[in-house]
Amino acid sequence: MNRSELREQVFKLLFRVEFNSMEEMTEQEEIFTLSEDEEFLSRDTEYIRDKYEKIASKLSEIDEAINSKTTGWSTSRIAKVDLAIIRLAVYEIKYDDSVPTGVAINEAVELAKKYGQDGSPAFINGVLAKFAE
């Protein structure tokens, strides 16, 4: 998989956080990897799990950062798909030096176009632009 495809898989796993407790996420990781094909598993599962776990370990910090940058919005009000995308991008911007800020924002907008609602790409771009300042 290329990096965009890997990022999409991390997003899908991260999205499950909204519906499961952190204690249940170990099982969700197992279910997630079993639902994908064998070729995918052998090549990329470790990368996806590792990145997801790094993001999950910083969720409270990421959410605090999002809440501090958004006016009139909090993580509890943001659509779940949009929130998972924003969390992934904020992690990449703040903690992953291998991903340039512009790439993190662009990839987030592309995920929003694919999985979000009509206004999601613009909303996500606006939120993440505050992290690029």
Side-chain angles (χ1 to χ4, degrees), residues 50-77:
D50 181 58
K51 190 160 187 172
Y52 158 75
E53 288 172 2
K54 287 178 180 175
I55 295 167
S57 73
K58 297 196 176 295
L59 272 183
S60 62
E61 295 169 44
I62 292 168
D63 286 354
E64 280 181 37
I66 294 167
N67 289 332
S68 73
K69 297 280 187 180
T70 55
T71 305
W73 289 92
S74 67
T75 53
S76 63
R77 287 192 59 219

Side-chain angles (χ1 to χ4, degrees), residues 4-124:
S4 293
E5 292 168 331
L6 289 169
R7 185 178 283 105
E8 184 173 351
Q9 297 304 314
V10 173
F11 153 73
K12 288 178 179 179
L13 188 54
L14 187 60
F15 179 68
R16 292 178 183 219
V17 168
E18 292 303 309
F19 304 98
N20 298 282
S21 68
M22 291 311 281
E23 294 78 27
E24 296 170 317
M25 284 306 296
T26 302
E27 182 180 353
Q28 287 300 311
E29 287 180 57
E30 293 296 322
I31 292 168
F32 179 79
T33 56
L34 290 174
S35 67
E36 302 298 332
D37 70 38
E38 291 301 317
E39 185 178 346
F40 162 78
L41 284 177
S42 63
R43 289 191 326 240
D44 303 312
T45 299
E46 189 172 325
Y47 173 88
I48 293 165
R49 280 185 161 180
D50 181 58
K51 190 160 187 172
Y52 158 75
E53 288 172 2
K54 287 178 180 175
I55 295 167
S57 73
K58 297 196 176 295
L59 272 183
S60 62
E61 295 169 44
I62 292 168
D63 286 354
E64 280 181 37
I66 294 167
N67 289 332
S68 73
K69 297 280 187 180
T70 55
T71 305
W73 289 92
S74 67
T75 53
S76 63
R77 287 192 59 219
I78 297 173
K80 291 180 183 347
V81 168
D82 295 354
L83 181 58
I85 294 169
I86 292 168
R87 283 173 167 166
L88 173 56
V90 169
Y91 172 82
E92 290 180 335
I93 292 167
K94 290 179 62 89
Y95 303 105
D96 190 342
D97 294 334
S98 70
V99 181
T101 298
V103 171
I105 294 171
N106 184 58
E107 291 287 331
V109 170
E110 291 304 314
L111 283 172
K113 288 177 184 176
K114 186 171 183 177
Y115 293 101
Q117 300 174 14
D118 289 341
S120 294
F123 175 73
I124 289 171

